[in-house]
Amino acid sequence: MSRTLDGKVALVTGGSRGIGRAIAERLGRDGAVVAVAYARDTASAEEVVARIRKDGGRAFAIRAELGEHGDAVRLWDAFDAAVEEFAPAGGVDVLVNNAAIATSSDLDGLTEEELDRVFAVNVRAPFFIVKEGLGRLRDGGRIVNISSGVARIALPRVIAYSSTKGALDVFTLNLAKLLGPRGITVNSVAPGYVDTDVNAGWLRTDPEAAAEAAAAAALGRVGQPDDIAGVVAFLASDDARWVTGRVVDATGGTAL
Ligand code: NAP
């Protein structure tokens, strides 16, 4: 049976855990060779690779800390060195900018260093990953940027984080115009609350807060990483070839 991404190569940043892991595993099941990029957690990244292989797919892990100058060049150097074994022609068809960090400071508590760091990881890194990757990205390819519902829904206690996602959505919009002539689509996917490590501290320990988060979504529950992976898989597929420059809401209908 042919799968939607047979013969394609995908790179997922932050592919070792949470939403990125679900995306990497899904794209692997859909037939892509998957590069699982991560920062520190080698064991988790190797687990994802093993899982994809167990499901009959092909994958490899690449370690590259984002948020430092030169990060994009280092990421692509690691990708180039590893991809040859799996796809000798090199290049990439699907790029998913998923890795990001959160900040919990409100405007009062925010420091310049915190703001610089969150923008460096969440905005500057995707910006330069695309810039440095354009020569590798094949015509007809896909870029999916993982944004957040908080770029649309005001949540002042995470104002800095939300602002990075707003910037990412503007990046998506302009990039779609720029890359359209090459048949490359560029979209953002905006999740709401999702049950990942980043929320584990409260979501898995505070039933009241968990119930509130579930009630915020019209669909009445907190998202699971697979909910987001399905949307990304659609955007990566040929069926989504006519969708570009959009923010696809994947919040389960939060704040409708
Ligand atoms: P997560 O569970 O914290 O996983 C983060 C992933 O990003 C890990 O693979 C981590 O690698 C990698 N990463 C973190 N900092 C990095 C850095 N400096 N350089 C390179 N890689 C780094 O996050 P998540 O909840 O799955 O979130 C994934 C995406 O969804 C993010 O863009 C986030 O903003 C967005 N989002 C999440 C939610 C939510 O409720 N969870 C809601 C809306 C949007 P290591 O394992 O090596 O640390």
Side-chain angles (χ1 to χ4, degrees), residues 108-147:
D108 268 352
L110 190 70
T111 63
E112 289 179 331
E113 289 73 21
E114 248 182 302
L115 191 74
D116 283 350
R117 176 73 187 156
V118 74
F119 267 87
V121 176
N122 297 8
V123 182
R124 195 181 68 206
F127 215 102
F128 281 88
I129 289 169
V130 170
K131 179 176 150 78
E132 297 295 337
L134 279 182
R136 295 163 176 92
L137 196 62
R138 272 188 274 278
D139 290 358
R142 302 280 187 266
I143 298 175
V144 181
N145 295 321
I146 305 302
S147 178

PDB file of all heavy atoms in Angstrom, residues 108-147:
ATOM      1  N   ASP A 108       5.516  42.395  34.188  1.00  0.00           N
ATOM      2  CA  ASP A 108       6.235  42.908  35.360  1.00  0.00           C
ATOM      3  C   ASP A 108       7.519  42.137  35.629  1.00  0.00           C
ATOM      4  O   ASP A 108       8.552  42.715  35.947  1.00  0.00           O
ATOM      5  CB  ASP A 108       5.346  42.756  36.615  1.00  0.00           C
ATOM      6  CG  ASP A 108       4.525  43.998  36.840  1.00  0.00           C
ATOM      7  OD1 ASP A 108       4.767  44.988  36.128  1.00  0.00           O
ATOM      8  OD2 ASP A 108       3.632  43.952  37.709  1.00  0.00           O
ATOM      9  N   GLY A 109       7.416  40.817  35.530  1.00  0.00           N
ATOM     10  CA  GLY A 109       8.547  39.983  35.928  1.00  0.00           C
ATOM     11  C   GLY A 109       9.556  39.727  34.817  1.00  0.00           C
ATOM     12  O   GLY A 109      10.643  39.186  35.059  1.00  0.00           O
ATOM     13  N   LEU A 110       9.212  40.101  33.620  1.00  0.00           N
ATOM     14  CA  LEU A 110      10.048  39.752  32.459  1.00  0.00           C
ATOM     15  C   LEU A 110      11.397  40.477  32.480  1.00  0.00           C
ATOM     16  O   LEU A 110      11.455  41.661  32.768  1.00  0.00           O
ATOM     17  CB  LEU A 110       9.273  40.139  31.188  1.00  0.00           C
ATOM     18  CG  LEU A 110       9.840  39.646  29.863  1.00  0.00           C
ATOM     19  CD1 LEU A 110       9.687  38.143  29.732  1.00  0.00           C
ATOM     20  CD2 LEU A 110       9.137  40.351  28.707  1.00  0.00           C
ATOM     21  N   THR A 111      12.458  39.746  32.156  1.00  0.00           N
ATOM     22  CA  THR A 111      13.767  40.390  32.024  1.00  0.00           C
ATOM     23  C   THR A 111      14.147  40.439  30.539  1.00  0.00           C
ATOM     24  O   THR A 111      13.607  39.685  29.726  1.00  0.00           O
ATOM     25  CB  THR A 111      14.863  39.599  32.767  1.00  0.00           C
ATOM     26  OG1 THR A 111      14.978  38.308  32.144  1.00  0.00           O
ATOM     27  CG2 THR A 111      14.524  39.426  34.243  1.00  0.00           C
ATOM     28  N   GLU A 112      15.098  41.296  30.218  1.00  0.00           N
ATOM     29  CA  GLU A 112      15.559  41.408  28.823  1.00  0.00           C
ATOM     30  C   GLU A 112      16.149  40.083  28.357  1.00  0.00           C
ATOM     31  O   GLU A 112      15.967  39.659  27.209  1.00  0.00           O
ATOM     32  CB  GLU A 112      16.604  42.526  28.715  1.00  0.00           C
ATOM     33  CG  GLU A 112      16.008  43.908  28.882  1.00  0.00           C
ATOM     34  CD  GLU A 112      17.050  45.021  28.811  1.00  0.00           C
ATOM     35  OE1 GLU A 112      18.225  44.765  29.180  1.00  0.00           O
ATOM     36  OE2 GLU A 112      16.705  46.126  28.407  1.00  0.00           O
ATOM     37  N   GLU A 113      16.858  39.414  29.283  1.00  0.00           N
ATOM     38  CA  GLU A 113      17.501  38.137  28.923  1.00  0.00           C
ATOM     39  C   GLU A 113      16.457  37.092  28.552  1.00  0.00           C
ATOM     40  O   GLU A 113      16.624  36.337  27.596  1.00  0.00           O
ATOM     41  CB  GLU A 113      18.358  37.619  30.099  1.00  0.00           C
ATOM     42  CG  GLU A 113      19.624  38.408  30.378  1.00  0.00           C
ATOM     43  CD  GLU A 113      19.367  39.776  31.030  1.00  0.00           C
ATOM     44  OE1 GLU A 113      18.283  39.978  31.623  1.00  0.00           O
ATOM     45  OE2 GLU A 113      20.262  40.651  30.932  1.00  0.00           O
ATOM     46  N   GLU A 114      15.364  37.063  29.346  1.00  0.00           N
ATOM     47  CA  GLU A 114      14.294  36.088  29.070  1.00  0.00           C
ATOM     48  C   GLU A 114      13.663  36.334  27.707  1.00  0.00           C
ATOM     49  O   GLU A 114      13.405  35.401  26.953  1.00  0.00           O
ATOM     50  CB  GLU A 114      13.205  36.261  30.132  1.00  0.00           C
ATOM     51  CG  GLU A 114      13.069  35.118  31.093  1.00  0.00           C
ATOM     52  CD  GLU A 114      11.928  35.398  32.066  1.00  0.00           C
ATOM     53  OE1 GLU A 114      11.979  36.432  32.769  1.00  0.00           O
ATOM     54  OE2 GLU A 114      10.993  34.582  32.101  1.00  0.00           O
ATOM     55  N   LEU A 115      13.406  37.615  27.436  1.00  0.00           N
ATOM     56  CA  LEU A 115      12.767  37.950  26.151  1.00  0.00           C
ATOM     57  C   LEU A 115      13.697  37.584  24.994  1.00  0.00           C
ATOM     58  O   LEU A 115      13.262  36.996  23.987  1.00  0.00           O
ATOM     59  CB  LEU A 115      12.406  39.440  26.100  1.00  0.00           C
ATOM     60  CG  LEU A 115      11.500  39.781  24.909  1.00  0.00           C
ATOM     61  CD1 LEU A 115      10.079  39.286  25.132  1.00  0.00           C
ATOM     62  CD2 LEU A 115      11.470  41.275  24.637  1.00  0.00           C
ATOM     63  N   ASP A 116      14.975  37.904  25.139  1.00  0.00           N
ATOM     64  CA  ASP A 116      15.936  37.558  24.089  1.00  0.00           C
ATOM     65  C   ASP A 116      15.957  36.055  23.855  1.00  0.00           C
ATOM     66  O   ASP A 116      15.971  35.585  22.715  1.00  0.00           O
ATOM     67  CB  ASP A 116      17.359  38.005  24.480  1.00  0.00           C
ATOM     68  CG  ASP A 116      17.553  39.500  24.303  1.00  0.00           C
ATOM     69  OD1 ASP A 116      16.668  40.155  23.705  1.00  0.00           O
ATOM     70  OD2 ASP A 116      18.588  40.012  24.786  1.00  0.00           O
ATOM     71  N   ARG A 117      15.961  35.297  24.934  1.00  0.00           N
ATOM     72  CA  ARG A 117      16.080  33.835  24.830  1.00  0.00           C
ATOM     73  C   ARG A 117      14.853  33.231  24.136  1.00  0.00           C
ATOM     74  O   ARG A 117      14.969  32.398  23.246  1.00  0.00           O
ATOM     75  CB  ARG A 117      16.259  33.241  26.239  1.00  0.00           C
ATOM     76  CG  ARG A 117      16.292  31.735  26.312  1.00  0.00           C
ATOM     77  CD  ARG A 117      17.592  31.156  25.771  1.00  0.00           C
ATOM     78  NE  ARG A 117      17.516  29.699  25.711  1.00  0.00           N
ATOM     79  CZ  ARG A 117      18.238  28.946  24.918  1.00  0.00           C
ATOM     80  NH1 ARG A 117      19.138  29.474  24.111  1.00  0.00           N
ATOM     81  NH2 ARG A 117      18.110  27.644  24.921  1.00  0.00           N
ATOM     82  N   VAL A 118      13.657  33.679  24.559  1.00  0.00           N
ATOM     83  CA  VAL A 118      12.445  33.069  24.006  1.00  0.00           C
ATOM     84  C   VAL A 118      12.300  33.436  22.526  1.00  0.00           C
ATOM     85  O   VAL A 118      11.884  32.601  21.703  1.00  0.00           O
ATOM     86  CB  VAL A 118      11.197  33.408  24.859  1.00  0.00           C
ATOM     87  CG1 VAL A 118      10.724  34.832  24.690  1.00  0.00           C
ATOM     88  CG2 VAL A 118      10.063  32.432  24.588  1.00  0.00           C
ATOM     89  N   PHE A 119      12.704  34.651  22.156  1.00  0.00           N
ATOM     90  CA  PHE A 119      12.666  35.004  20.734  1.00  0.00           C
ATOM     91  C   PHE A 119      13.755  34.274  19.949  1.00  0.00           C
ATOM     92  O   PHE A 119      13.547  33.901  18.797  1.00  0.00           O
ATOM     93  CB  PHE A 119      12.771  36.526  20.550  1.00  0.00           C
ATOM     94  CG  PHE A 119      11.417  37.190  20.476  1.00  0.00           C
ATOM     95  CD1 PHE A 119      10.749  37.585  21.626  1.00  0.00           C
ATOM     96  CD2 PHE A 119      10.779  37.393  19.257  1.00  0.00           C
ATOM     97  CE1 PHE A 119       9.486  38.170  21.572  1.00  0.00           C
ATOM     98  CE2 PHE A 119       9.520  37.979  19.185  1.00  0.00           C
ATOM     99  CZ  PHE A 119       8.866  38.366  20.349  1.00  0.00           C
ATOM    100  N   ALA A 120      14.893  34.047  20.583  1.00  0.00           N
ATOM    101  CA  ALA A 120      15.989  33.362  19.878  1.00  0.00           C
ATOM    102  C   ALA A 120      15.602  31.929  19.519  1.00  0.00           C
ATOM    103  O   ALA A 120      15.892  31.448  18.424  1.00  0.00           O
ATOM    104  CB  ALA A 120      17.250  33.364  20.743  1.00  0.00           C
ATOM    105  N   VAL A 121      14.932  31.240  20.451  1.00  0.00           N
ATOM    106  CA  VAL A 121      14.559  29.838  20.191  1.00  0.00           C
ATOM    107  C   VAL A 121      13.309  29.763  19.307  1.00  0.00           C
ATOM    108  O   VAL A 121      13.258  28.996  18.349  1.00  0.00           O
ATOM    109  CB  VAL A 121      14.302  29.073  21.521  1.00  0.00           C
ATOM    110  CG1 VAL A 121      13.819  27.659  21.227  1.00  0.00           C
ATOM    111  CG2 VAL A 121      15.558  29.050  22.376  1.00  0.00           C
ATOM    112  N   ASN A 122      12.312  30.593  19.621  1.00  0.00           N
ATOM    113  CA  ASN A 122      10.991  30.422  18.999  1.00  0.00           C
ATOM    114  C   ASN A 122      10.838  31.150  17.665  1.00  0.00           C
ATOM    115  O   ASN A 122       9.969  30.798  16.863  1.00  0.00           O
ATOM    116  CB  ASN A 122       9.893  30.918  19.944  1.00  0.00           C
ATOM    117  CG  ASN A 122       9.810  30.128  21.235  1.00  0.00           C
ATOM    118  OD1 ASN A 122      10.665  29.289  21.503  1.00  0.00           O
ATOM    119  ND2 ASN A 122       8.812  30.395  22.051  1.00  0.00           N
ATOM    120  N   VAL A 123      11.661  32.187  17.448  1.00  0.00           N
ATOM    121  CA  VAL A 123      11.509  32.978  16.217  1.00  0.00           C
ATOM    122  C   VAL A 123      12.806  32.988  15.391  1.00  0.00           C
ATOM    123  O   VAL A 123      12.799  32.621  14.217  1.00  0.00           O
ATOM    124  CB  VAL A 123      11.093  34.438  16.529  1.00  0.00           C
ATOM    125  CG1 VAL A 123      10.901  35.227  15.229  1.00  0.00           C
ATOM    126  CG2 VAL A 123       9.812  34.465  17.366  1.00  0.00           C
ATOM    127  N   ARG A 124      13.912  33.398  16.030  1.00  0.00           N
ATOM    128  CA  ARG A 124      15.139  33.517  15.234  1.00  0.00           C
ATOM    129  C   ARG A 124      15.559  32.164  14.662  1.00  0.00           C
ATOM    130  O   ARG A 124      15.979  32.077  13.498  1.00  0.00           O
ATOM    131  CB  ARG A 124      16.272  34.120  16.079  1.00  0.00           C
ATOM    132  CG  ARG A 124      17.450  34.600  15.219  1.00  0.00           C
ATOM    133  CD  ARG A 124      18.562  35.176  16.057  1.00  0.00           C
ATOM    134  NE  ARG A 124      19.207  34.140  16.842  1.00  0.00           N
ATOM    135  CZ  ARG A 124      19.843  34.359  17.991  1.00  0.00           C
ATOM    136  NH1 ARG A 124      19.909  35.574  18.485  1.00  0.00           N
ATOM    137  NH2 ARG A 124      20.413  33.363  18.636  1.00  0.00           N
ATOM    138  N   ALA A 125      15.432  31.114  15.475  1.00  0.00           N
ATOM    139  CA  ALA A 125      15.862  29.798  14.994  1.00  0.00           C
ATOM    140  C   ALA A 125      15.050  29.346  13.764  1.00  0.00           C
ATOM    141  O   ALA A 125      15.647  29.018  12.734  1.00  0.00           O
ATOM    142  CB  ALA A 125      15.809  28.769  16.123  1.00  0.00           C
ATOM    143  N   PRO A 126      13.702  29.333  13.818  1.00  0.00           N
ATOM    144  CA  PRO A 126      12.955  28.960  12.612  1.00  0.00           C
ATOM    145  C   PRO A 126      13.292  29.836  11.407  1.00  0.00           C
ATOM    146  O   PRO A 126      13.397  29.346  10.274  1.00  0.00           O
ATOM    147  CB  PRO A 126      11.490  29.157  13.013  1.00  0.00           C
ATOM    148  CG  PRO A 126      11.461  29.161  14.476  1.00  0.00           C
ATOM    149  CD  PRO A 126      12.810  29.562  14.967  1.00  0.00           C
ATOM    150  N   PHE A 127      13.476  31.137  11.666  1.00  0.00           N
ATOM    151  CA  PHE A 127      13.818  32.084  10.594  1.00  0.00           C
ATOM    152  C   PHE A 127      15.085  31.619   9.857  1.00  0.00           C
ATOM    153  O   PHE A 127      15.103  31.513   8.627  1.00  0.00           O
ATOM    154  CB  PHE A 127      14.084  33.441  11.253  1.00  0.00           C
ATOM    155  CG  PHE A 127      13.656  34.622  10.436  1.00  0.00           C
ATOM    156  CD1 PHE A 127      12.477  35.288  10.732  1.00  0.00           C
ATOM    157  CD2 PHE A 127      14.426  35.068   9.375  1.00  0.00           C
ATOM    158  CE1 PHE A 127      12.082  36.385   9.981  1.00  0.00           C
ATOM    159  CE2 PHE A 127      14.037  36.159   8.629  1.00  0.00           C
ATOM    160  CZ  PHE A 127      12.862  36.827   8.920  1.00  0.00           C
ATOM    161  N   PHE A 128      16.123  31.330  10.629  1.00  0.00           N
ATOM    162  CA  PHE A 128      17.395  30.971   9.988  1.00  0.00           C
ATOM    163  C   PHE A 128      17.428  29.504   9.543  1.00  0.00           C
ATOM    164  O   PHE A 128      18.163  29.168   8.620  1.00  0.00           O
ATOM    165  CB  PHE A 128      18.578  31.366  10.883  1.00  0.00           C
ATOM    166  CG  PHE A 128      18.861  32.832  10.772  1.00  0.00           C
ATOM    167  CD1 PHE A 128      18.219  33.743  11.594  1.00  0.00           C
ATOM    168  CD2 PHE A 128      19.710  33.317   9.777  1.00  0.00           C
ATOM    169  CE1 PHE A 128      18.431  35.113  11.467  1.00  0.00           C
ATOM    170  CE2 PHE A 128      19.931  34.684   9.629  1.00  0.00           C
ATOM    171  CZ  PHE A 128      19.287  35.591  10.479  1.00  0.00           C
ATOM    172  N   ILE A 129      16.619  28.654  10.174  1.00  0.00           N
ATOM    173  CA  ILE A 129      16.521  27.268   9.681  1.00  0.00           C
ATOM    174  C   ILE A 129      15.946  27.294   8.261  1.00  0.00           C
ATOM    175  O   ILE A 129      16.410  26.593   7.364  1.00  0.00           O
ATOM    176  CB  ILE A 129      15.650  26.405  10.623  1.00  0.00           C
ATOM    177  CG1 ILE A 129      16.394  26.142  11.937  1.00  0.00           C
ATOM    178  CG2 ILE A 129      15.274  25.079   9.960  1.00  0.00           C
ATOM    179  CD1 ILE A 129      15.539  25.525  13.033  1.00  0.00           C
ATOM    180  N   VAL A 130      14.953  28.148   8.050  1.00  0.00           N
ATOM    181  CA  VAL A 130      14.379  28.274   6.698  1.00  0.00           C
ATOM    182  C   VAL A 130      15.408  28.912   5.761  1.00  0.00           C
ATOM    183  O   VAL A 130      15.660  28.407   4.664  1.00  0.00           O
ATOM    184  CB  VAL A 130      13.071  29.097   6.734  1.00  0.00           C
ATOM    185  CG1 VAL A 130      12.610  29.425   5.322  1.00  0.00           C
ATOM    186  CG2 VAL A 130      11.986  28.323   7.483  1.00  0.00           C
ATOM    187  N   LYS A 131      15.999  30.025   6.189  1.00  0.00           N
ATOM    188  CA  LYS A 131      16.956  30.727   5.322  1.00  0.00           C
ATOM    189  C   LYS A 131      18.094  29.798   4.876  1.00  0.00           C
ATOM    190  O   LYS A 131      18.404  29.706   3.698  1.00  0.00           O
ATOM    191  CB  LYS A 131      17.526  31.937   6.072  1.00  0.00           C
ATOM    192  CG  LYS A 131      18.554  32.759   5.316  1.00  0.00           C
ATOM    193  CD  LYS A 131      18.929  33.975   6.155  1.00  0.00           C
ATOM    194  CE  LYS A 131      20.353  34.428   5.908  1.00  0.00           C
ATOM    195  NZ  LYS A 131      20.562  35.173   4.690  1.00  0.00           N
ATOM    196  N   GLU A 132      18.653  29.078   5.842  1.00  0.00           N
ATOM    197  CA  GLU A 132      19.776  28.183   5.520  1.00  0.00           C
ATOM    198  C   GLU A 132      19.297  26.917   4.826  1.00  0.00           C
ATOM    199  O   GLU A 132      20.081  26.236   4.178  1.00  0.00           O
ATOM    200  CB  GLU A 132      20.533  27.801   6.802  1.00  0.00           C
ATOM    201  CG  GLU A 132      21.187  28.951   7.535  1.00  0.00           C
ATOM    202  CD  GLU A 132      22.309  29.617   6.738  1.00  0.00           C
ATOM    203  OE1 GLU A 132      22.873  28.948   5.845  1.00  0.00           O
ATOM    204  OE2 GLU A 132      22.579  30.803   6.986  1.00  0.00           O
ATOM    205  N   GLY A 133      18.012  26.607   4.972  1.00  0.00           N
ATOM    206  CA  GLY A 133      17.506  25.351   4.402  1.00  0.00           C
ATOM    207  C   GLY A 133      16.913  25.487   3.016  1.00  0.00           C
ATOM    208  O   GLY A 133      16.612  24.473   2.372  1.00  0.00           O
ATOM    209  N   LEU A 134      16.764  26.716   2.527  1.00  0.00           N
ATOM    210  CA  LEU A 134      16.053  26.910   1.255  1.00  0.00           C
ATOM    211  C   LEU A 134      16.685  26.159   0.091  1.00  0.00           C
ATOM    212  O   LEU A 134      15.980  25.668  -0.791  1.00  0.00           O
ATOM    213  CB  LEU A 134      15.966  28.407   0.919  1.00  0.00           C
ATOM    214  CG  LEU A 134      14.836  29.146   1.639  1.00  0.00           C
ATOM    215  CD1 LEU A 134      14.794  30.604   1.209  1.00  0.00           C
ATOM    216  CD2 LEU A 134      13.493  28.468   1.357  1.00  0.00           C
ATOM    217  N   GLY A 135      18.000  26.065   0.105  1.00  0.00           N
ATOM    218  CA  GLY A 135      18.694  25.333  -0.964  1.00  0.00           C
ATOM    219  C   GLY A 135      18.450  23.835  -0.879  1.00  0.00           C
ATOM    220  O   GLY A 135      18.604  23.109  -1.871  1.00  0.00           O
ATOM    221  N   ARG A 136      18.081  23.355   0.272  1.00  0.00           N
ATOM    222  CA  ARG A 136      17.838  21.917   0.457  1.00  0.00           C
ATOM    223  C   ARG A 136      16.364  21.567   0.268  1.00  0.00           C
ATOM    224  O   ARG A 136      16.026  20.420  -0.017  1.00  0.00           O
ATOM    225  CB  ARG A 136      18.252  21.483   1.857  1.00  0.00           C
ATOM    226  CG  ARG A 136      19.750  21.604   2.125  1.00  0.00           C
ATOM    227  CD  ARG A 136      19.983  21.552   3.619  1.00  0.00           C
ATOM    228  NE  ARG A 136      21.381  21.559   3.984  1.00  0.00           N
ATOM    229  CZ  ARG A 136      22.076  22.661   4.255  1.00  0.00           C
ATOM    230  NH1 ARG A 136      21.516  23.862   4.154  1.00  0.00           N
ATOM    231  NH2 ARG A 136      23.352  22.581   4.601  1.00  0.00           N
ATOM    232  N   LEU A 137      15.501  22.552   0.481  1.00  0.00           N
ATOM    233  CA  LEU A 137      14.053  22.308   0.416  1.00  0.00           C
ATOM    234  C   LEU A 137      13.646  22.137  -1.050  1.00  0.00           C
ATOM    235  O   LEU A 137      13.882  23.014  -1.878  1.00  0.00           O
ATOM    236  CB  LEU A 137      13.321  23.500   1.035  1.00  0.00           C
ATOM    237  CG  LEU A 137      11.867  23.306   1.401  1.00  0.00           C
ATOM    238  CD1 LEU A 137      11.708  22.221   2.466  1.00  0.00           C
ATOM    239  CD2 LEU A 137      11.290  24.618   1.915  1.00  0.00           C
ATOM    240  N   ARG A 138      13.026  20.995  -1.336  1.00  0.00           N
ATOM    241  CA  ARG A 138      12.654  20.737  -2.735  1.00  0.00           C
ATOM    242  C   ARG A 138      11.408  21.516  -3.148  1.00  0.00           C
ATOM    243  O   ARG A 138      10.526  21.773  -2.330  1.00  0.00           O
ATOM    244  CB  ARG A 138      12.405  19.233  -2.930  1.00  0.00           C
ATOM    245  CG  ARG A 138      13.698  18.493  -3.285  1.00  0.00           C
ATOM    246  CD  ARG A 138      13.417  17.053  -3.657  1.00  0.00           C
ATOM    247  NE  ARG A 138      13.375  16.223  -2.473  1.00  0.00           N
ATOM    248  CZ  ARG A 138      14.451  15.734  -1.862  1.00  0.00           C
ATOM    249  NH1 ARG A 138      15.665  16.005  -2.342  1.00  0.00           N
ATOM    250  NH2 ARG A 138      14.344  14.988  -0.796  1.00  0.00           N
ATOM    251  N   ASP A 139      11.339  21.882  -4.439  1.00  0.00           N
ATOM    252  CA  ASP A 139      10.140  22.524  -4.969  1.00  0.00           C
ATOM    253  C   ASP A 139       8.948  21.613  -4.694  1.00  0.00           C
ATOM    254  O   ASP A 139       9.074  20.382  -4.764  1.00  0.00           O
ATOM    255  CB  ASP A 139      10.275  22.760  -6.479  1.00  0.00           C
ATOM    256  CG  ASP A 139      11.296  23.853  -6.795  1.00  0.00           C
ATOM    257  OD1 ASP A 139      11.865  24.440  -5.854  1.00  0.00           O
ATOM    258  OD2 ASP A 139      11.529  24.104  -8.001  1.00  0.00           O
ATOM    259  N   GLY A 140       7.803  22.199  -4.400  1.00  0.00           N
ATOM    260  CA  GLY A 140       6.619  21.405  -4.060  1.00  0.00           C
ATOM    261  C   GLY A 140       6.613  20.956  -2.604  1.00  0.00           C
ATOM    262  O   GLY A 140       5.744  20.186  -2.199  1.00  0.00           O
ATOM    263  N   GLY A 141       7.575  21.454  -1.834  1.00  0.00           N
ATOM    264  CA  GLY A 141       7.714  21.011  -0.439  1.00  0.00           C
ATOM    265  C   GLY A 141       6.752  21.720   0.501  1.00  0.00           C
ATOM    266  O   GLY A 141       5.838  22.446   0.093  1.00  0.00           O
ATOM    267  N   ARG A 142       6.976  21.461   1.776  1.00  0.00           N
ATOM    268  CA  ARG A 142       6.078  21.968   2.815  1.00  0.00           C
ATOM    269  C   ARG A 142       6.886  22.537   3.973  1.00  0.00           C
ATOM    270  O   ARG A 142       7.865  21.917   4.409  1.00  0.00           O
ATOM    271  CB  ARG A 142       5.242  20.814   3.402  1.00  0.00           C
ATOM    272  CG  ARG A 142       4.399  20.062   2.403  1.00  0.00           C
ATOM    273  CD  ARG A 142       3.129  20.859   2.124  1.00  0.00           C
ATOM    274  NE  ARG A 142       2.209  20.126   1.294  1.00  0.00           N
ATOM    275  CZ  ARG A 142       2.137  20.221  -0.035  1.00  0.00           C
ATOM    276  NH1 ARG A 142       2.963  21.010  -0.693  1.00  0.00           N
ATOM    277  NH2 ARG A 142       1.237  19.534  -0.715  1.00  0.00           N
ATOM    278  N   ILE A 143       6.431  23.686   4.485  1.00  0.00           N
ATOM    279  CA  ILE A 143       6.943  24.174   5.774  1.00  0.00           C
ATOM    280  C   ILE A 143       5.744  24.306   6.698  1.00  0.00           C
ATOM    281  O   ILE A 143       4.723  24.901   6.317  1.00  0.00           O
ATOM    282  CB  ILE A 143       7.655  25.533   5.637  1.00  0.00           C
ATOM    283  CG1 ILE A 143       8.889  25.403   4.717  1.00  0.00           C
ATOM    284  CG2 ILE A 143       8.066  26.072   7.015  1.00  0.00           C
ATOM    285  CD1 ILE A 143       9.595  26.724   4.422  1.00  0.00           C
ATOM    286  N   VAL A 144       5.853  23.719   7.879  1.00  0.00           N
ATOM    287  CA  VAL A 144       4.792  23.858   8.881  1.00  0.00           C
ATOM    288  C   VAL A 144       5.431  24.425  10.150  1.00  0.00           C
ATOM    289  O   VAL A 144       6.380  23.847  10.688  1.00  0.00           O
ATOM    290  CB  VAL A 144       4.107  22.502   9.195  1.00  0.00           C
ATOM    291  CG1 VAL A 144       2.992  22.712  10.218  1.00  0.00           C
ATOM    292  CG2 VAL A 144       3.560  21.850   7.927  1.00  0.00           C
ATOM    293  N   ASN A 145       4.936  25.578  10.571  1.00  0.00           N
ATOM    294  CA  ASN A 145       5.435  26.214  11.798  1.00  0.00           C
ATOM    295  C   ASN A 145       4.432  25.976  12.917  1.00  0.00           C
ATOM    296  O   ASN A 145       3.239  26.264  12.754  1.00  0.00           O
ATOM    297  CB  ASN A 145       5.614  27.720  11.563  1.00  0.00           C
ATOM    298  CG  ASN A 145       6.691  28.017  10.532  1.00  0.00           C
ATOM    299  OD1 ASN A 145       7.731  27.349  10.504  1.00  0.00           O
ATOM    300  ND2 ASN A 145       6.453  28.996   9.671  1.00  0.00           N
ATOM    301  N   ILE A 146       4.906  25.463  14.036  1.00  0.00           N
ATOM    302  CA  ILE A 146       3.979  25.206  15.148  1.00  0.00           C
ATOM    303  C   ILE A 146       3.868  26.474  15.993  1.00  0.00           C
ATOM    304  O   ILE A 146       4.804  26.886  16.681  1.00  0.00           O
ATOM    305  CB  ILE A 146       4.421  23.993  16.004  1.00  0.00           C
ATOM    306  CG1 ILE A 146       4.601  22.749  15.117  1.00  0.00           C
ATOM    307  CG2 ILE A 146       3.371  23.740  17.098  1.00  0.00           C
ATOM    308  CD1 ILE A 146       3.375  22.309  14.320  1.00  0.00           C
ATOM    309  N   SER A 147       2.703  27.061  15.897  1.00  0.00           N
ATOM    310  CA  SER A 147       2.400  28.312  16.583  1.00  0.00           C
ATOM    311  C   SER A 147       1.641  28.000  17.866  1.00  0.00           C
ATOM    312  O   SER A 147       1.907  26.997  18.530  1.00  0.00           O
ATOM    313  CB  SER A 147       1.594  29.195  15.623  1.00  0.00           C
ATOM    314  OG  SER A 147       1.224  30.397  16.235  1.00  0.00           O
TER     315      SER A 147
END
